[in-house]
């Protein structure tokens, strides 16, 4: 039985990652994806940058849906010091890996061994090294490009590279209940990880999934609520869930961003804010 593996951050599990995984599955009987819960760059630079497209939990779920077995590791200084041979031997010893499928331009280990050293590494470890081909087409797909698109509010373009809508998940907390007073009650979503990348500040049409599995069209505001809060207020996420009635406090919601409707605006009064939200809801229904 051939146990094959590939290695990488796989942040976002985007189109390029999926193409690599499809090739991995062609080369083995059981496919394993070795990935990391924290970004290796955090350890190298000492800064928690870049922010992540997928939390470890989200990434594990997405990889499992592709029919592979995720192995999620913590990247630390000890792992950073492992040579390519030491790391491959670790995979062989701990996961039974007999074949390693790497991206066409990937290098691994503290010694950064690339494709020219594949034969030597195979001989030293007994693990066959195979190189995957590059994703066809002129458009380069990588996590950095997707982060840049989301930072500009381009959630539709990001979705094309991800092959899915970009999502965030969080628990509904208590806000000031101002939305109720103008007829548009909102759920205040508290994302559990500060490392999760939020799209650009603004108002979005989104699909909002509840814990029960029901999905509603919603209008989601990411921002500082300038009409009712001071300019230095923290960024919050508020979702008006069209057609929903009930209590969501303490439950988790998953928000899938469909389209940016407009930037966040400061209105003269609550009446103008109410009118703007009404228009946002009508537009979101048509997305």
């Amino acid at each position: 039985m051939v146990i094959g593996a590939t290695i990488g951050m796989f942040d976002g599990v985007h189109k390029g990652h999926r193409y690599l995984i499809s090739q991995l599955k062609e080369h083995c009987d059981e496919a394993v994806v070795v990935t990391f819960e924290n970004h290796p760059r955090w350890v190298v630079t000492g800064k928690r940058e870049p922010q992540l497209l997928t939390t470890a939990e989200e990434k594990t779920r997405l990889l499992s849906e592709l029919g592979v077995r995720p192995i999620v590791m913590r990247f630390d200084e000890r792992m950073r010091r492992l040579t390519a041979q030491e790391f491959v031997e670790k995979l062989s010893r701990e996961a039974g890996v007999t074949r390693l499928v790497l991206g066409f331009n990937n290098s691994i280990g503290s010694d950064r061994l690339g494709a020219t050293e594949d034969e030597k590494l195979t001989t030293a470890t007994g693990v066959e090294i195979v190189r995957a081909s590059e994703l066809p087409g002129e458009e380069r797909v990588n996590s950095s490009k997707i982060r840049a698109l989301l930072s500009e509010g381009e959630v539709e373009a990001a979705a094309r590279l991800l092959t899915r809508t970009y999502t965030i998940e969080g628990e509904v907390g208590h806000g000031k209940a101002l939305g109720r007073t103008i007829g548009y009650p909102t759920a205040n979503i508290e994302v559990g990880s500060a490392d999760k990348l939020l799209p650009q500040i603004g108002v979005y049409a989104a699909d909002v999934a509840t814990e029960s599995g029901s999905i509603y069209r919603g209008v989601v505001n990411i921002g500082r609520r300038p009409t009712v809060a001071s300019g230095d207020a923290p960024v919050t996420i508020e979702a008006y869930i069209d057609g929903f009635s009930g209590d969501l406090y303490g439950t988790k919601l998953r928000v899938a961003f469909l389209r940016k409707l407009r930037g966040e605006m400061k209105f003269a009064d609550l009446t103008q804010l109410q009118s703007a939200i009404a228009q946002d809801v009508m537009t979101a229904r048509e997305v």
Side-chain angles (χ1 to χ4, degrees), residues 1 3-6 21 24-25 30-35 60 63-72 91 94-97:
M1 179 177 179
I3 299 178
T6 190
I21 289 170
L24 167 67
K25 294 169 74 173
E30 180 184 353
V32 174
V33 171
V34 179
T35 187
T60 297
L63 290 171
S64 297
E65 289 172 355
L66 293 177
V68 301
R69 174 162 62 95
I71 297 178
V72 183
L91 297 182
E94 297 180 4
V97 172

Side-chain angles (χ1 to χ4, degrees), residues 14-17 135 139-143 145-146 161-162:
H14 57 59
K15 184 188 294 186
H17 296 143
L135 179 69
E139 185 175 32
R140 298 297 299 272
V141 180
N142 56 54
S143 301
K145 184 173 184 178
I146 295 169
L161 301 187
L162 287 166

Side-chain angles (χ1 to χ4, degrees), residues 193-205:
S193 172
D195 297 317
K196 173 75 173 182
L197 179 68
L198 297 179
Q200 183 186 48
I201 283 177
V203 180
Y204 295 83

